[in-house]
């Protein structure tokens, strides 16, 4: 076999292997925007200073998809902790359809939970406030187009948004002012489309040309922003 023929065969094997990896990864997610490597992460900043990280991990079995989300934030002043926020969320999907979630949130000492599961009429949703049970959100049925407000799935922009901390649902009021170049947690830049959510929510979220979540910005007693880790 000539060197040229051998090189051609190696290229074909490489391309075939790459195609097989592509089928074994996101293709199992029924069109959901599962990221390459089945994970994504962001550095979270407040007024330009890092305060923590936001991680998402995706795992599947057949047409089932589980998304595990972990957030850990700490705001300090002169080395003294002023505010802590932690969240652990598990989403369940099947056949590309949201099936439910469980969330546990520690909002600066206030422990909150949200539970949601798919039913014939939509989603059964309930919220629990462990610090003040009287403020727990009673069980109700959310609309069939409900989607979790966890940002990674761009389709949430066309649905009713479920807050994973309060258990409230909001209609999505969305406007897109265009595309931006976003800084990442490294030296890279992502070109992504900005979507502004208004109404009950006030935030901006970005998605790249492959519908991958690329950035987030909002204001809660400071200007919070997300910078994506690129691997």
């Amino acid at each position: 076999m000539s060197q040229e023929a051998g090189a051609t065969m190696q290229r074909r094997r490489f391309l075939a292997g790459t195609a097989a990896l592509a089928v074994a990864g996101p293709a199992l997610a029924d069109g959901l925007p599962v990221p390459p490597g089945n994970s994504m992460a962001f550095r979270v900043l407040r007024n330009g200073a890092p305060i923590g990280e936001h991680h998402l991990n995706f795992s599947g079995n057949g047409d089932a998809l589980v998304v595990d989300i972990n957030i850990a934030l700490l705001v300090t002043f002169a080395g003294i902790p002023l505010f802590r926020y932690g969240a652990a969320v598990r989403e369940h999907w099947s056949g590309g359809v949201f099936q439910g979630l469980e969330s546990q949130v520690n909002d600066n000492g206030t422990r909150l939970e949200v539970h949601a599961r798919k039913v014939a009429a939509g989603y059964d949703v309930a919220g629990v406030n462990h610090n003040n049970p009287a403020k727990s959100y009673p069980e109700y049925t959310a609309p069939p187009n409900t989607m979790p407000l966890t940002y990674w799935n761009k389709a949430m922009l066309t649905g009713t948004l479920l807050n994973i901390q309060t258990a409230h649902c909001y209609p999505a009021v969305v406007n897109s002012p265009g595309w931006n170049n976003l800084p990442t947690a490294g030296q890279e830049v992502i070109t992504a489309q900005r979507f502004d959510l208004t109404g009950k929510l006030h935030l901006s979220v970005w998605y790249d040309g492959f519908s991958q979540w690329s950035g987030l910005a909002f204001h809660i007693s400071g200007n919070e922003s997300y910078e994506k880790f690129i691997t």
Side-chain angles (χ1 to χ4, degrees):
M1 181 182 295
S2 68
Q3 289 184 343
E4 181 177 354
T8 299
M9 182 173 291
Q10 288 181 342
R11 284 195 297 270
R12 288 174 178 172
R13 287 174 179 169
F14 173 78
L15 291 172
T18 302
L21 286 173
V23 170
L28 295 177
D30 293 293
L32 294 172
V34 174
N38 299 316
S39 66
M40 68 170 65
F42 295 84
R43 178 170 61 186
V44 184
L45 301 96
R46 181 178 186 273
N47 299 330
I51 60 170
E53 295 183 359
H54 185 136
H55 291 259
L56 302 91
N57 290 284
F58 301 76
S59 57
N61 184 9
D63 68 351
L65 177 69
V66 174
V67 186
D68 287 304
I69 302 169
N70 288 278
I71 308 168
L73 309 179
L74 173 63
V75 177
T76 63
F77 180 74
I80 300 173
L82 298 180
F83 177 82
R84 295 180 186 270
Y85 182 90
V89 186
R90 172 163 284 188
E91 296 180 25
H92 304 274
W93 297 74
S94 180
V97 178
F98 175 52
Q99 301 295 319
L101 63 74
E102 306 88 36
S103 73
Q104 295 181 333
V105 174
N106 186 330
D107 185 7
N108 206 34
T110 300
R111 296 186 301 117
L112 306 166
E113 290 185 14
V114 174
H115 302 274
R117 64 183 181 91
K118 186 172 175 55
V119 295
Y123 295 87
D124 277 351
V125 178
V128 180
N129 185 321
H130 289 282
N131 293 57
N132 189 345
K135 291 186 177 181
S136 294
Y137 205 72
E139 186 173 353
Y140 70 99
T141 301
N145 70 338
T146 295
M147 301 280 278
L149 183 62
T150 50
Y151 307 109
W152 68 269
N153 188 357
K154 185 180 177 181
M156 76 171 195
L157 299 177
T158 62
T160 297
L161 301 173
L162 172 62
N163 190 309
I164 63 168
Q165 177 172 321
T166 66
H168 296 173
C169 274
Y170 318 104
V173 182
V174 183
N175 175 60
S176 176
W179 292 72
N180 304 122
N181 290 325
L182 300 181
T184 68
Q187 300 299 317
E188 302 87 351
V189 172
I190 303 175
T191 300
Q193 186 176 7
R194 174 178 169 176
F195 295 88
D196 292 336
L197 278 66
T198 56
K200 292 287 186 180
L201 297 167
H202 295 277
L203 59 88
S204 297
V205 60
W206 285 262
Y207 299 92
D208 68 15
F210 298 98
S211 295
Q212 293 286 301
W213 180 26
S214 301
L216 179 69
F218 54 91
H219 180 89
I220 299 178
S221 69
N223 294 311
E224 283 75 22
S225 60
Y226 275 45
E227 292 182 345
K228 193 171 187 177
F229 287 100
I230 303 297
T231 57

